[in-house]
Structure formats: C-alpha cells, structure tokens
Amino acid sequence: MSSGITVDDECKNAFQDLKVTHDYKFVLFKISDDNKAIIVDTTSLGPYEDMEKVDPAEKDAKLAARKAAKEKLSQKPELEIYESFVKLLPENECRYAVYDFAYQKDGSDRNKILFYAWSPDTAKIKNKMVYASSKDSLRKSLIGVAQDVQATDLEEASYETALDRVLRTAR
C-alpha cells in the first residue's frame, strides 16, 4: 500500500552520511506537516544540514563543527547514545529512524544498521495509518539496512531488545 508521500532527497543523503562516513549514530525521519514528503527530523548531532546545499563560504566551518560534534559523540558509551535516541521518539506521534547499532560478538566489534518504524499505541489512528502506508517508500530507498524494528512502546525500542535482536541474527 502506497500513500503517495515522497521521500525527500535529504533522507537519502542523511542515511548515506550515517552509513558511509559514519557522521551520525542515528537519524530520525518524519512526514512533513503538509503530508507530502518524508523529511529528516533530527540526527544524533542535532538538526540535519545537507552539506551539498551549504553556502561554500560556510562549508569548511560547518564541516569542522560537524567533525568536532562527531568526535565528542564517539567518546560516549553506546548505551548512553542509544538512550538519547529513544528519548527523541515522541510519545504520541509516529516516526521512522535508522540507527547504526554497535555491539560485540565473539570478542569483536560489529555494527548493524537498524530501521525503526515507531508507532506508539498513544498515536492517533490517522497518524499510524499514514506512517504505515508510507513506510515502504522510505525503507526501499535506504539500501544497506540490516534489520527492521517495529516498536509501539519503549520496551520494544529498548537497548536490550535491540541488542537481543542483533545477537540472534549475527553471523
């Protein structure tokens, strides 16, 4: 089922920044207020800014600021970063997200990119329906996601649940 809602190019760009350059640990997406497009809501470094659209005179300074914020974030434990991600999930509204989940298995560090469809029980029915019908268009545009997570409450979005999920499927 398709809703006719498009995926903004910034969503794909932000995902590439997460997947390829590891600029972000997570990116949250939402449907625009006019219900026409899926857009970037926020990232692990704060509001998203597409560096391709930045004024060339400001680009170096913005890239340096992003690098400094990324370095500061990399010093935090995975659990702390994950908990900050979960706190950004709205209590009464749906969202999509991708998270670059780091974990250990057999003594080695690993990562998996998780795609989240956050649809809390307290969200309005129309909100849930629009998000459910638009999910595939975003999901198909994000090449490289290892697993999908459907979460309706904080327990289903918890670090322990995500860790259990990736460990069960890790090879």
Side-chain angles (χ1 to χ4, degrees), residues 48-94:
Y48 177 71
E49 190 163 23
D50 189 345
M51 288 299 154
E52 299 299 318
K53 296 179 181 177
V54 170
D55 181 341
E58 299 175 8
K59 191 170 187 174
D60 287 342
K62 291 189 181 243
L63 285 170
R66 182 188 278 186
K67 183 178 179 182
K70 180 180 160 183
E71 180 62 31
K72 184 177 179 183
L73 183 67
S74 72
Q75 303 302 315
K76 293 183 178 182
E78 180 73 19
L79 179 58
E80 184 179 330
I81 298 168
Y82 192 87
E83 287 174 349
S84 69
F85 159 68
V86 171
K87 286 179 185 174
L88 290 172
L89 297 172
E91 184 179 340
N92 298 313
E93 294 178 32
C94 300

Side-chain angles (χ1 to χ4, degrees), residues 1 13 16 22-23 33 61-62 77 79 86 88 106 132-133:
M1 177 162 83
N13 295 343
Q16 288 302 311
H22 303 282
D23 282 352
D33 293 338
K62 291 189 181 243
L79 179 58
V86 171
L88 290 172
D106 300 328
S133 64

Side-chain angles (χ1 to χ4, degrees):
M1 177 162 83
S2 176
S3 65
I5 295 175
T6 61
V7 177
D8 190 274
D9 285 341
E10 286 189 352
C11 296
K12 299 169 199 169
N13 295 343
F15 178 71
Q16 288 302 311
D17 290 345
L18 175 140
K19 181 176 99 171
V20 177
T21 61
H22 303 282
D23 282 352
Y24 307 114
K25 281 294 291 176
F26 60 83
V27 179
L28 271 73
F29 308 97
K30 69 178 185 176
I31 295 176
S32 62
D33 293 338
D34 63 5
N35 282 343
K36 291 187 177 182
I38 299 170
I39 59 174
V40 175
D41 184 17
T42 192
T43 74
S44 55
L45 302 181
Y48 177 71
E49 190 163 23
D50 189 345
M51 288 299 154
E52 299 299 318
K53 296 179 181 177
V54 170
D55 181 341
E58 299 175 8
K59 191 170 187 174
D60 287 342
K62 291 189 181 243
L63 285 170
R66 182 188 278 186
K67 183 178 179 182
K70 180 180 160 183
E71 180 62 31
K72 184 177 179 183
L73 183 67
S74 72
Q75 303 302 315
K76 293 183 178 182
E78 180 73 19
L79 179 58
E80 184 179 330
I81 298 168
Y82 192 87
E83 287 174 349
S84 69
F85 159 68
V86 171
K87 286 179 185 174
L88 290 172
L89 297 172
E91 184 179 340
N92 298 313
E93 294 178 32
C94 300
R95 288 291 186 273
Y96 308 113
V98 286
Y99 191 98
D100 187 3
F101 194 85
Y103 64 101
Q104 284 198 330
K105 181 165 172 115
D106 300 328
S108 63
D109 293 335
R110 299 182 184 201
N111 287 60
K112 279 195 178 179
I113 298 175
L114 306 178
F115 176 84
Y116 286 81
W118 171 249
S119 183
D121 293 330
T122 54
K124 293 180 180 175
I125 297 295
K126 182 177 180 182
N127 188 247
K128 290 181 186 184
M129 289 175 57
V130 170
Y131 270 79
S133 64
S134 304
K135 178 182 126 184
D136 282 346
S137 61
L138 176 62
R139 177 62 182 85
K140 287 177 182 174
S141 71
L142 306 178
I143 308 300
V145 171
Q147 285 188 304
D148 290 15
V149 177
Q150 173 69 43
T152 60
D153 61 35
L154 294 176
E155 177 62 31
E156 291 175 340
S158 73
Y159 178 83
E160 293 77 16
T161 301
L163 180 60
D164 181 57
R165 178 183 291 270
V166 297
L167 288 175
R168 277 188 284 133
T169 61
R171 294 181 200 145

